[in-house]
Amino acid sequence: MFYKNTKKPSLGPAASTSVSCVDLPSWVYTKPEPVATPHHAAVDTPDDLLTIAEVALYLRVSDRTVSRLIRKGQLPALRIGRAVRILHSDLLEMLDRKPSISDGLGVCRE
C-alpha cells in the first residue's frame, strides 16, 4: 500500500540548529579568486583554422552547404587526421572571387 505524505515541506533550513564557523572548513568562507579567461573572438587572425561548423555559422548557411563547397573545390580545406579545417584567409578569398548577384536583384519577385 502507498501512503500519502501529509506533511508539508518546510521552507526553513534543513537543520534546526545553526551552523557555526567551527563546524565548516575554512575554504568555505574564502572568496574564490577570479579566473582569468582569455577573451577570444570567433576569428582572431586571417590564418586561423576554422571548422566546418564555424564557417557555416560565419556564412549563415548549413554545414552541408560548406561541405558541398569544399567537395566542388570552391573552398580550399585541409584535412588534419579526420578533422576538416578551413583557413580564414581562404574563406575570405573565396568570398572575394564569388560573383555578386546584386545586379539581378531588381527582377527578383521576393
Side-chain angles (χ1 to χ4, degrees):
M1 287 183 116
F2 295 103
Y3 294 100
K4 185 177 178 184
N5 187 2
T6 57
K7 281 183 144 184
K8 290 185 179 179
S10 66
L11 299 176
S16 60
T17 59
S18 63
V19 177
S20 68
C21 294
V22 179
D23 296 338
L24 297 174
S26 63
W27 61 267
V28 173
Y29 299 104
T30 59
K31 290 184 179 179
E33 295 180 15
V35 178
T37 56
H39 177 69
H40 293 295
V43 178
D44 289 334
T45 62
D47 286 332
D48 273 351
L49 290 173
L50 305 172
T51 64
I52 289 179
E54 289 170 339
V55 172
L57 189 65
Y58 183 82
L59 296 176
R60 295 189 177 130
V61 296
S62 70
D63 294 352
R64 295 179 75 182
T65 302
V66 176
S67 297
R68 191 176 319 124
L69 289 171
I70 293 170
R71 207 171 33 253
K72 287 182 177 181
Q74 295 175 349
L75 179 61
L78 307 167
R79 183 171 292 277
I80 303 171
R82 294 178 71 180
V84 176
R85 298 290 183 259
I86 298 104
L87 284 172
H88 186 251
S89 57
D90 288 342
L91 174 64
L92 294 178
E93 185 180 314
M94 182 208 67
L95 292 174
D96 286 341
R97 69 174 184 258
K98 205 74 164 148
S100 175
I101 62 164
S102 60
D103 298 335
L105 286 180
V107 296
C108 186
R109 295 190 308 173
E110 208 172 311

